[in-house]
Amino acid sequence: MQDWESRLAHLRIERLRPKQIEAALALRSMVYIPLGALEYHGHHLPIGLDAMTAHGLCLQACEQTGGLVMPPLYYGMTGSIGHHPWTICVEKEETLKQLYLDTLNRLSDFGIEQAVLFTGHFGRRQMALMAELQNEWDANASSLRLKCLSISDLPGVAMPGDHGALFETSVLAQLHPDRVHLNELPDQTEFPANDPDGDSWGAHRRDPENVLFGILGDDPRDYQPEQAQALTQALLKGVVELVEA
């Protein structure tokens, strides 16, 4: 367990007794709900990366804003990489949407004033589902205010989101450095990225024979700790800004 995880264990709602929950929410009636997916991210990263990064950022944001954080949901919408190894996603929008709604409705029943759905998984279908949910929730004028946010769409972040590439590798390395194993990838000098026309998102990256199979975006072997730290700090600042807006 990382130092920040130990420091923020008191914000994890699943670890708390009812009176502890009520005391924390009396100070700020807000609950973060981290969302992710189980997907192949290359040989160097865990399949639960999206939920792990969402959970870590939610906990650190919660430290600044108040409230509590739900356990991360490791299931997300499937997409174009659904056939990749150890990718286990939800096929039907209504399945995942109902789970979100059941959670939000129960939080509303408990009198929670605000909920933040924060997704570390930002495939197209996931993002469309989040937008649909936000619009429908707003139209129903519930007493619980909802904000649907994505790690890929936060203000003040210079590096674009990716899949298992430099962005996701950098964020996870800051939160869970023991889960990032760049040495599992081929040596960059001997096996450089072979992207036609410099396109790191092309179909060639979906070929199991490609040196960066299943990794979409800038080469994660270009990882730099200082750049990763700045990126993660910018992401955290963006979450807090949008929550408090």
Side-chain angles (χ1 to χ4, degrees):
M1 181 177 288
Q2 304 302 316
D3 290 344
W4 64 266
E5 291 182 276
S6 299
R7 187 182 78 248
L8 304 180
H10 66 287
L11 300 177
R12 295 175 58 173
I13 199 169
E14 78 275 12
R15 298 170 64 94
L16 304 181
R17 301 183 302 277
K19 287 186 178 180
Q20 292 176 301
I21 295 173
E22 292 158 9
L25 294 178
L27 298 175
R28 179 71 185 268
S29 185
M30 179 167 65
V31 173
Y32 289 82
I33 307 169
L35 309 176
L38 293 170
E39 297 181 305
Y40 181 82
H41 288 92
H43 288 305
H44 65 304
L45 296 173
I47 64 170
L49 176 145
D50 295 346
M52 294 169 67
T53 54
H55 191 220
L57 287 171
C58 283
L59 283 168
Q60 295 192 29
C62 187
E63 182 181 30
Q64 298 185 35
T65 65
L68 291 173
V69 181
M70 291 280 285
L73 180 64
Y74 278 87
Y75 281 92
M77 284 304 307
T78 191
S80 61
I81 62 168
H83 62 289
H84 284 184
W86 298 108
T87 297
I88 307 170
C89 291
V90 176
E91 295 288 342
K92 297 180 180 179
E93 280 83 355
E94 56 266 28
T95 302
L96 205 54
K97 182 179 178 181
Q98 191 58 56
L99 183 56
Y100 296 163
L101 286 173
D102 288 346
T103 302
L104 292 169
N105 285 327
R106 285 301 287 159
L107 292 176
S108 180
D109 290 343
F110 297 142
I112 303 302
E113 296 176 0
Q114 184 174 354
V116 179
L117 277 175
F118 182 73
T119 184
H121 172 57
F122 45 92
R124 292 179 183 177
R125 293 181 67 188
Q126 178 82 5
M127 297 301 289
L129 176 60
M130 299 283 284
E132 178 183 314
L133 180 65
Q134 182 76 71
N135 291 335
E136 292 183 8
W137 191 267
D138 291 345
N140 288 333
S142 170
S143 60
L144 182 150
R145 301 187 308 278
L146 174 64
K147 288 193 177 183
C148 292
L149 307 178
S150 170
I151 194 174
S152 64
D153 193 24
L154 295 173
V157 179
M159 188 184 298
D162 57 36
H163 182 80
L166 187 59
F167 176 94
E168 290 197 324
T169 298
S170 296
V171 180
L172 192 67
Q174 285 294 299
L175 297 171
H176 299 283
D178 59 319
R179 297 293 90 200
V180 177
H181 293 268
L182 286 166
N183 61 316
E184 294 286 343
L185 296 175
D187 179 78
Q188 191 175 19
T189 302
E190 187 176 357
F191 299 97
N194 52 347
D195 300 321
D197 301 319
D199 179 14
S200 61
W201 289 78
H204 60 287
R205 289 281 188 95
R206 302 170 192 275
D207 180 355
E209 298 302 319
N210 189 274
V211 67
L212 294 176
F213 166 60
I215 299 171
L216 304 174
D218 293 340
D219 195 330
R221 296 171 296 182
D222 290 328
Y223 168 77
Q224 298 177 11
E226 297 81 6
Q227 182 186 45
Q229 183 179 27
L231 169 63
T232 306
Q233 290 175 347
L235 290 169
L236 178 58
K237 184 174 183 289
V239 174
V240 172
E241 286 182 358
L242 291 180
V243 168
E244 300 288 30

